[in-house]
Amino acid sequence: MSTLSNIMEAQGIGSAADIEWLHMLIGDWQLIADLAFADIVLWAPTTDGSFVAVSHARPSSSATLFYRDFVGQKIKAEWKAQVSEAYETASIIESSSPAWYEETPTRVRAVPVIRRVRQGSQDSAPSDPIAVISLHTNLSESRNPSRQELTFNSCANDLFDMIASGDFPDLDAAPSPRRGAPRASDGLIRLDVDGVVTFASPNALSAFNRVGFNDELEGESLAEVTTRVLTGKINVDESLPVVVTGRAPWRADIDARGVTISLRTIPIRHLGERTGAIVLCRDVTEMRHQEMELITKDATIREIHHRVKNNLQTVASLLRIQARRTQSDEAREALTQAMRRVASIAVVHDTLSEGLSQNVDFDEVFNRVLMLSAEVAAIHGTTVHPRLTGSFGVLPSEYATPLALALTELVTNAVEHGLAGREGTVVIEANRTEEVLSVHIVDNGTGLPEGAIGDGLGTQIVKTLIQGELSGSIEWNGGLEGGTDVSIEVPLRFVNPTT
């Protein structure tokens, strides 16, 4: 759960819809701060008539005013009146004179956050303010702003106006990418309502130069520029036309001359009418190459797991065939046990071959391992009722393989020795905390003969896997109602249970 959600829920403020809207807003938090050249703080109203800070962003385009976060703190007295006025009047409130913060002159602006609700295909009327943004600009470094800084400030003002009217964030916007999203400093293009470039930052111009456009962007239609760059291209991002014309809040890529430019468009609206657009662009060529390498690596790893699984299943089949043909009961039993152990390892690799993660849902693995116990029961004339309670959760493959093999041994031992020739149950109880995985295997069989623990090969294998490979502990005890109770504890110091 995010800090914003934690604070608002702890304060008992904001509906689920309000919190979701604010989450969408702070997804562009850094972009807004960079365009405004200012620190921005998001204030949520509290039940006692005050405000609490739920998010804070510092600009990367200028020096920050605040070296410590306000998140979780109540609003300072010198800002409360201005923020309260913006919240009550649903209008942007500018400070009438410079405010001071630790001997630094600042300009403060309070912007109400309005949430607009989507009903079907139509947007409803905006709601009352659900929060307020305070904007803190450092006035200590007076200088003549550059054209780029003036344009960035103009874009920020447009976004603040849209926030105050419920038009930003846009409900139709593309979902945020996990990595590689264009930032203001990467390249910014300003379009008018007809899609003509009115401003292009140096980085934006350089990005388009790299894909083959060598003229000035300003005064050009961005859609026509893109068409010229992509002439002769067969595969073109289908969302590109609405992005480069500034008509939709979407994302698209331009691929030309071995270079990939990522574009993101933010339409600018005033009173519901589109007046232009901001287009952010970023050269993501190297990032795309890395992504392709990762995809290739993941596919290779999956294929390796698939082939290992196939090879292990082949080995298990050969052992099964050999067991059926041998004349010695002792040799047949040894080959059957070896086949079963190989098959349990194959189950883990089969699960790993189905996904990109090197973690496995061990509950799924263990349910498949339990099927092996049915095969053992059939051999020994046993009717067994296995039952799993609790959950193992997700485990890395380095845990899953030895644990699957150890549990296979313990369950099959319970069926083969404790329940041989009779009907019974085997209960596997898994309990997991952030630090330890505890497993109990309990059967209602004949119980433990004295001195039998540790004598068999299977028991030695289990001890080696649990104590040696998993750094865990294992104990054999008699069950309360007869049978055997095996307790295992495995430390999970390096495992994230929510992975």
Side-chain angles (χ1 to χ4, degrees):
M1 186 178 291
S2 70
T3 301
L4 183 149
S5 299
N6 286 333
I7 295 174
M8 295 188 71
E9 290 184 7
Q11 294 281 341
I13 53 178
S15 66
D18 291 344
I19 293 174
E20 182 180 2
W21 184 269
L22 295 178
H23 271 299
M24 293 172 61
L25 177 61
I26 63 175
D28 281 313
W29 216 219
Q30 191 60 53
L31 170 65
I32 297 171
D34 290 345
L35 290 176
F37 293 86
D39 286 80
I40 54 175
V41 184
L42 183 62
W43 302 97
T46 60
T47 54
D48 61 0
S50 185
F51 294 86
V52 62
V54 294
S55 189
H56 175 197
R58 298 177 176 84
S60 60
S61 51
S62 63
T64 182
L65 276 170
F66 309 126
Y67 292 94
R68 294 186 179 180
D69 277 341
F70 291 111
V71 175
Q73 298 181 24
K74 289 291 185 71
I75 193 167
K76 292 183 178 295
E78 58 264 36
W79 304 328
K80 184 177 179 181
Q82 187 176 348
V83 169
S84 296
E85 185 179 354
Y87 183 74
E88 292 166 0
T89 63
S91 57
I92 298 176
I93 305 299
E94 302 276 358
S95 56
S96 56
S97 60
W100 292 83
Y101 182 81
E102 295 183 353
E103 302 182 353
T104 301
T106 69
R107 183 174 66 248
V108 181
R109 181 190 304 178
V111 181
V113 178
I114 304 294
R115 175 172 65 87
R116 192 178 291 272
V117 181
R118 171 62 52 83
Q119 295 178 339
S121 60
Q122 300 295 323
D123 289 345
S124 73
S127 66
D128 291 331
I130 61 173
V132 177
I133 298 170
S134 64
L135 172 72
H136 306 263
T137 306
N138 190 337
L139 300 179
S140 63
E141 300 177 359
S142 68
R143 56 183 176 80
N144 291 325
S146 65
R147 182 166 175 248
Q148 174 168 309
E149 185 172 341
L150 291 172
T151 303
F152 277 29
N153 272 315
S154 174
C155 291
N157 292 336
D158 288 334
L159 291 180
F160 286 128
D161 288 339
M162 291 170 64
I163 290 170
S165 63
D167 291 319
F168 189 84
D170 198 311
L171 293 172
D172 295 321
S176 298
R178 295 182 63 182
R179 56 197 295 265
R183 300 159 299 193
S185 59
D186 294 322
L188 182 144
I189 298 171
R190 184 65 188 257
L191 303 181
D192 65 15
V193 69
D194 297 317
V196 175
V197 178
T198 60
F199 172 82
S201 70
N203 285 346
L205 184 59
S206 295
F208 274 83
N209 289 162
R210 286 193 285 274
V211 292
F213 182 77
N214 297 316
D215 297 325
E216 292 294 328
L217 279 173
E218 291 186 23
E220 297 280 352
S221 164
L222 188 61
E224 293 178 4
V225 169
T226 306
T227 300
R228 274 182 269 170
V229 167
L230 296 175
T231 299
K233 285 281 184 179
I234 298 176
N235 297 319
V236 177
D237 194 327
E238 60 183 15
S239 61
L240 189 58
V242 295
V243 170
V244 295
T245 55
R247 296 182 181 276
W250 211 251
R251 291 181 169 86
D253 287 348
I254 297 175
D255 291 295
R257 297 191 174 188
V259 176
T260 302
I261 305 298
S262 179
L263 302 178
R264 179 203 174 181
T265 294
I266 304 173
I268 300 299
R269 295 185 176 89
H270 180 67
L271 300 177
E273 295 293 325
R274 187 174 62 85
T275 60
I278 300 169
V279 180
L280 303 172
C281 53
R282 181 179 184 181
D283 186 341
V284 293
T285 307
E286 185 60 32
M287 194 174 299
R288 292 292 183 266
H289 288 165
Q290 292 174 358
E291 289 173 355
M292 290 304 300
E293 289 175 359
L294 287 173
I295 290 171
T296 302
K297 176 184 175 182
D298 287 337
T300 301
I301 291 173
R302 289 175 63 185
E303 179 62 21
I304 290 171
H305 283 302
H306 182 71
R307 294 189 182 188
V308 169
K309 180 263 297 185
N310 286 345
N311 290 338
L312 290 172
Q313 288 180 336
T314 299
V315 172
S317 297
L318 293 174
L319 290 170
R320 181 183 288 108
I321 293 171
Q322 189 64 44
R324 288 174 179 172
R325 293 193 175 188
T326 187
Q327 300 300 315
S328 167
D329 291 339
E330 184 178 353
R332 183 184 302 109
E333 180 64 21
L335 290 169
T336 301
Q337 290 179 355
M339 177 274 296
R340 198 162 52 243
R341 291 162 186 153
V342 171
S344 67
I345 300 173
V347 168
V348 177
H349 284 280
D350 188 26
T351 305
L352 288 168
S353 71
E354 295 173 356
L356 297 178
S357 174
Q358 288 305 292
N359 298 327
V360 296
D361 181 350
F362 196 78
D363 294 303
E364 177 185 344
V365 170
F366 188 67
N367 284 331
R368 295 173 64 179
V369 166
L370 278 181
M371 296 172 62
L372 297 173
S373 66
E375 185 175 331
V376 176
I379 295 174
H380 294 273
T382 301
T383 301
V384 63
H385 304 285
R387 186 172 77 251
L388 172 63
T389 63
S391 175
F392 291 96
V394 176
L395 294 173
S397 58
E398 58 265 30
Y399 278 70
T401 300
L403 186 60
L405 185 52
L407 294 179
T408 300
E409 288 293 326
L410 293 171
V411 173
T412 53
N413 279 348
V415 173
E416 190 174 15
H417 301 295
L419 298 173
R422 53 181 289 185
E423 182 174 355
T425 60
V426 179
V427 178
I428 302 92
E429 179 183 351
N431 294 297
R432 179 170 181 166
T433 67
E434 292 186 359
E435 298 179 349
V436 176
L437 171 65
S438 300
V439 185
H440 288 271
I441 300 96
V442 183
D443 66 71
N444 61 350
T446 57
L448 289 169
E450 289 190 25
I453 298 175
D455 291 343
L457 175 61
T459 303
Q460 294 176 21
I461 290 174
V462 170
K463 285 183 175 180
T464 300
L465 293 170
I466 298 298
Q467 297 173 348
E469 294 198 29
L470 297 176
S471 301
S473 61
I474 182 168
E475 291 183 2
W476 280 264
N477 298 292
L480 295 177
E481 301 178 1
T484 306
D485 182 350
V486 183
S487 300
I488 295 173
E489 285 198 353
V490 177
L492 299 176
R493 291 186 297 272
F494 308 110
V495 181
N496 181 357
T498 61
T499 300

